[in-house]
Amino acid sequence: MIKGFEFVDSGRSYNCTVEVRKGAEDDAWWWFAVSGDGQRYAPFRAAKDDTRGTVQDRIVQFYTNRLFQLTQPTQRGSHWGKRNVPAKAPVVAPEVQA
């Protein structure tokens, strides 16, 4: 398995490391941090056949998709809350007799 590495893509610096989950010695994940982003990400497990190129491609694809998702408008509410709600009867004004 390859070790951690750094690279630059589209003006962003990526710092990638392999970290083992506590209590599970055989469960390693790729973690990465990106310049200008205070959050770290662990999008996928490390594999024996990982190469620097394949990991780099997957990380850039993951982060690019994340940035795209952040630009999308959020949807509030859900159609589930509107199911089985009976339709309201129309309001009819009473007839006035002269």
Side-chain angles (χ1 to χ4, degrees):
M1 183 180 327
I2 63 173
K3 303 288 182 188
F5 59 94
E6 294 181 12
F7 67 94
V8 175
D9 184 82
S10 299
R12 295 183 193 92
S13 299
Y14 293 80
N15 183 355
C16 310
T17 57
V18 175
E19 297 181 26
V20 177
R21 195 177 78 181
K22 293 179 182 178
E25 299 299 321
D26 59 344
D27 193 16
W29 288 75
W30 278 106
W31 282 83
F32 73 94
V34 183
S35 59
D37 187 340
Q39 184 171 336
R40 289 188 342 139
Y41 303 92
F44 48 87
R45 285 189 164 111
K48 291 180 183 178
D49 59 346
D50 283 341
T51 65
R52 182 181 170 136
T54 60
V55 171
Q56 182 173 329
D57 290 344
R58 289 166 65 190
I59 286 174
V60 169
Q61 182 179 10
F62 173 87
Y63 196 71
T64 302
N65 183 57
R66 173 168 167 66
L67 293 178
F68 172 75
Q69 294 299 325
L70 290 172
T71 65
Q72 300 306 299
T74 57
Q75 290 184 318
R76 302 211 182 256
S78 168
H79 70 280
W80 291 107
K82 297 177 183 174
R83 66 178 182 199
N84 298 330
V85 176
K88 292 183 178 181
V91 176
V92 178
E95 291 183 28
V96 179
Q97 296 189 3

